Amino acid sequence: MPWTSDETTLQQMQDRIRRFSAERSWARYHNPRNLAMQISVEAGELLQLYLWSSDDGPQPPVATRAPKVEEEMADVAISLLNLAAVTGIDLAAAIERKLEKNAARYPVGKSRGRLEKYDELADLPDLQE
């Protein structure tokens, strides 16, 4: 049965990734250091698809690049889920904690529509809605 984002949990994905790896006896290569490097490599491959495009100019042709973008995004996600499993980090809980921390760092009244980092927002007045 095909997975969809609204029906599949992170745990189900991690279990499937773990089984895939175990079937191939890859666990010995999947230490935190190597998995962290793998995330960087896969993210670089995703970035490469957008190399030499500009924000206001032509973008990579969707019809020809979309399947590769999808593959590279999946590689990044698989690598991250694998690292979370190997390190025992509950990724959903970590994301929740990070969102709470970012909500405190970036209050809506100061950060809405702005690009400054949290430490640069402190001296700015609240924005009007």
Side-chain angles (χ1 to χ4, degrees):
M1 173 180 205
W3 286 354
T4 61
S5 293
D6 57 347
E7 297 174 353
T8 308
T9 67
L10 291 176
Q11 187 61 55
Q12 289 170 316
M13 289 183 208
Q14 283 181 314
D15 291 344
R16 175 71 201 285
I17 292 164
R18 191 177 299 115
R19 282 192 308 274
F20 183 90
S21 176
E23 289 168 354
R24 289 152 181 82
S25 297
W26 286 350
R28 64 180 169 221
Y29 306 116
H30 291 176
N31 60 59
R33 181 181 61 86
N34 284 335
L35 291 170
M37 287 190 291
Q38 181 184 18
I39 293 167
S40 179
V41 168
E42 298 300 348
E45 290 176 4
L46 176 60
L47 282 171
Q48 186 178 22
L49 297 173
Y50 293 96
L51 185 64
W52 309 122
S53 63
S54 63
D55 290 340
D56 57 352
Q59 296 297 308
V62 173
T64 58
R65 297 252 175 112
K68 189 64 177 162
V69 169
E70 178 182 293
E71 284 183 21
E72 297 305 339
M73 288 175 64
D75 284 343
V76 171
I78 289 167
S79 301
L80 182 60
L81 288 169
N82 204 358
L83 178 60
V86 166
T87 58
I89 291 173
D90 180 335
L91 192 55
I95 290 169
E96 182 64 27
R97 285 190 296 275
K98 185 62 175 181
L99 285 173
E100 289 173 7
K101 185 175 186 176
N102 284 347
R105 286 180 164 179
Y106 296 95
V108 173
K110 287 193 182 275
S111 62
R112 185 183 197 108
R114 301 193 69 104
L115 56 79
E116 289 86 359
K117 285 205 47 131
Y118 64 90
D119 58 345
E120 298 170 319
L121 291 172
D123 297 330
L124 298 176
D126 281 354
L127 301 170
Q128 300 296 320
E129 297 263 347

